[in-house]
Each structure stands twice: as structure tokens, then as C-alpha cells.
Amino acid sequence: GHNNLNAKLVLLGDMGAGKSSLVLRFVKGQFLEFQESTIGAAFFSQTLAANDVTVKFEIWDTAGQERYHSLAPMYYRGAAAAIIVYDISNTDSFGRAKKWVQELQKQGNPNMVMALAGNKADLEDRRKVTAEEARVYAEENGLFFMETSAKTALNVNDIFHEIAKKLPRA
Ligand code: GTP
Ligand code: MG
């Protein structure tokens, strides 16, 4: 049969990694070169059909600045899915992503579908994090991994599709 699901999804990751840009690309098909840094968090919703299921994503786009860290549990608590975002041209952002994974493993919903997004894949000439090291890390930690670009739209719909397919059916 066909399932309709509502799924709370949270984006976490370092400031500037491209969380808001991924959401803007997914929800509105747009990209801004000068996307403003998020204050607190922003909410979006978007519906997507995948195979036997229609998922209404309720998306919390959190702020990556450290001063907002203490707000994060409000957004990941009860979330069915998380996208942890780093910037492939920024090693520190990959380290920050690993910290978020650890926090979710300790405090998050144990059934949460977790995706690791290596964003800004269009910046190949400035790459610092190889796809291979991220893939190995993701495999070891039970996440699925994709490189994305909010700028070119590479894998943006795909990552949400993959999450939709992995959500437990109601
Ligand atoms: P905070 O809200 O501060 O946590 O940052 P964020 O993770 O939401 O990052 P945001 O989407 O604001 O993007 C930061 C900057 O990176 C912006 O200037 C974007 O235009 C740029 N950017 C985001 N995604 C991409 C991408 O895929 N490729 C390139 N080249 N630039 C990107
Ligand atoms: Mg943002």
C-alpha cells in the first residue's frame, strides 16, 4: 500500500558548510552566492514522493555558529532524520561533522536515519577532504554518505530521496 509520512528532519554542521543552501535548493530550487548566516534556526517543509511513500519533511535548518550549539537538542530531539553537512574544502568542518555524529549517537533518537553530506562538491580544485575518507567514516558510523553541491544541485534531491526510502514505514 501507499504510505504518507511526516518526518522531522534536522540539518547540523559547521557554520558556512551550506545547510541553508541545501535546503533552499531542495525547497525552492534556488541558490544564493551570498546566503546569510542562520540565526537560531529556520523552518521549512517540503513533500517528496519516493516509491511507495509520500514524505512530508518538516525541516529544521539549524545555525552552525558555536553560540547556538545549546539550542541544537531542541531540533534533533524526536527527529526521524538528520543531515550532517560539511564543506569538502574545509577540514575543520569535517571534524565538526564528526562531533555532531557523536552527539547524535549519544543523545539522538536511536532509529534516526543519518546522512553525511560533503557539500560544495563543485569546489574540486579546493578540495581538502577526500570522498574516500568520508565514505569510510560514514560506513564505520552507520551513516550514508553523498557529496552534494547546493550550487550545481548535484545530489541534493537524491539525498532527501535516499532518506525518504530509508525511513521506517508507519
Ligand atoms: P550557518 O547558517 O552559518 O550555519 O551556515 P550554513 O551551513 O547555512 O551555510 P550557507 O548555506 O549559509 O552557505 C555559506 C556560504 O557557502 C554561502 O555563501 C553559500 O553561497 C556558499 N555555498 C553553500 N553551498 C555551496 C555549494 O554547494 N557550493 C559553493 N561553491 N558554495 C556554496
Ligand atoms: Mg544557515
Side-chain angles (χ1 to χ4, degrees), residues 123-144:
L123 300 180
E124 186 56 46
D125 55 338
R126 285 159 54 184
R127 177 188 288 277
K128 297 279 166 28
V129 183
T130 68
E132 188 53 26
E133 68 183 303
R135 190 179 347 271
V136 167
Y137 173 78
E139 263 171 35
E140 287 173 353
N141 286 275
L143 296 86
F144 77 91

Side-chain angles (χ1 to χ4, degrees), residues 13-22 31-39 61-65 85 87 119-123 126 148-153:
D14 206 359
M15 63 177 288
K19 298 176 294 299
S20 299
S21 298
L22 288 169
F31 176 75
L32 300 173
E33 286 289 345
F34 300 98
Q35 173 66 46
E36 283 184 30
S37 190
T38 305
I39 294 172
D61 169 24
T62 66
Q65 292 181 49
V85 183
D87 168 355
N119 190 44
K120 309 197 187 181
D122 56 290
L123 300 180
R126 285 159 54 184
T148 59
S149 170
K151 183 168 182 171
T152 68

